[in-house]
């Protein structure tokens, strides 16, 4: 990504959410257009660069994965302190990951006021909805997003649906706020 080589300002986007909700897969789909069914490990790097065209202008994003550090909250917190925006993921097939969204928002708010940092709430793995029995209904995600005054969408890192759209919407907010 040539944008990375320039001194252009990069906006820092942090991916948050429980382990296994699909953060690494989300980044892999966004940046490499790939998907791995058993992506056990991380991408092996702290962040990925991605240039998007937002309203006709190139916007350089530095996307940080908190991979493997979900349990080391003090480390995760230091990511939020310097973030321009957050992609907060849960897994629509895992109710616990949805219930934990509140903890993640609380943690983000300990360091930054929510008005200063746009958040996109993302219900990932929506491709599994037809086959998985007990999924978090879309309306629950919408309601939670309204409570927190955040953006919301459902995505699939597997089939790619809404991945780019989610990041574009967030990038639009982030550039507006910055
Ligand atoms: P992370 O721990 O949040 O980074 O989660 P991973 O990206 O490692 O994903 C955990 C598991 O869920 C992996 O086996 C992925 O292949 C799978 N996964 C991630 N996103 C999706 C998705 O959108 N659909 C489906 N069906 N599986 C997914």
């Amino acid at each position: 990504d040539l944008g990375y080589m320039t001194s252009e300002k990069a906006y820092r986007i942090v991916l948050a959410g429980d382990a296994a909700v699909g953060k690494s897969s989300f980044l892999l789909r966004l940046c490499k257009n790939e998907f791995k069914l058993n992506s056990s490990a991380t991408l092996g790097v702290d962040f990925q660069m991605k240039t998007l065209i937002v309203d006709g202008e190139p916007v350089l994003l530095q996307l940080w994965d908190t991979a493997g550090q979900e349990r080391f909250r003090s480390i995760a917190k230091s990511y939020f302190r310097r973030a321009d925006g957050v992609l907060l993921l849960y897994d629509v097939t895992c109710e616990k990951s949805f219930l934990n969204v509140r903890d993640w928002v609380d943690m983000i708010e300990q360091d930054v006021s929510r008005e200063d940092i746009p958040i996109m709430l993302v219900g990932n793995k929506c491709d599994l909805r037809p086959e998985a029995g007990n999924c978090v209904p879309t309306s629950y995600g919408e309601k939670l997003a309204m409570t927190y005054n955040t953006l919301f969408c459902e995505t699939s890192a597997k089939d790619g649906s809404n991945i780019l759209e989610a990041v574009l919407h967030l990038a639009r907010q982030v550039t507006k706020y910055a």
Side-chain angles (χ1 to χ4, degrees), residues 5 24 36 39 44 60 62 81 108 125-126 131 154 164:
M5 307 302 288
S24 301
K36 296 191 175 112
S39 65
L60 181 61
Q62 197 180 49
R81 214 164 290 149
I108 294 164
K125 306 197 190 181
C126 66
E131 56 196 87
E154 288 189 343
L164 187 58

Side-chain angles (χ1 to χ4, degrees), residues 90-109:
Y90 65 92
D91 172 352
V92 297
T93 71
C94 174
E95 189 185 25
K96 184 85 170 67
S97 73
F98 179 71
L99 296 173
N100 282 341
V101 163
R102 177 181 293 274
D103 285 349
W104 283 100
V105 173
D106 286 348
M107 183 159 60
I108 294 164
E109 285 189 324

Side-chain angles (χ1 to χ4, degrees), residues 24-119:
S24 301
S25 301
F26 187 103
L27 274 190
L28 192 62
R29 173 60 75 194
L30 178 72
C31 298
K32 302 226 165 69
N33 204 18
E34 288 173 16
F35 177 77
K36 296 191 175 112
L37 196 54
N38 291 305
S39 65
S40 52
T42 68
L43 294 171
V45 290
D46 290 330
F47 64 84
Q48 298 276 305
M49 302 299 296
K50 174 86 180 169
T51 302
L52 294 180
I53 305 298
V54 181
D55 299 329
E57 298 289 331
V59 171
L60 181 61
L61 301 178
Q62 197 180 49
L63 296 131
W64 289 78
D65 194 351
T66 52
Q69 283 152 11
E70 290 90 351
R71 290 198 280 147
F72 302 100
R73 301 227 151 173
S74 58
I75 298 174
K77 274 176 69 172
S78 66
Y79 283 88
F80 299 130
R81 214 164 290 149
R82 296 176 56 202
D84 295 303
V86 175
L87 284 159
L88 176 44
L89 274 71
Y90 65 92
D91 172 352
V92 297
T93 71
C94 174
E95 189 185 25
K96 184 85 170 67
S97 73
F98 179 71
L99 296 173
N100 282 341
V101 163
R102 177 181 293 274
D103 285 349
W104 283 100
V105 173
D106 286 348
M107 183 159 60
I108 294 164
E109 285 189 324
Q110 279 176 18
D111 281 295
V112 285
S113 99
R114 207 180 333 125
E115 291 77 46
D116 294 339
I117 181 165
I119 298 174

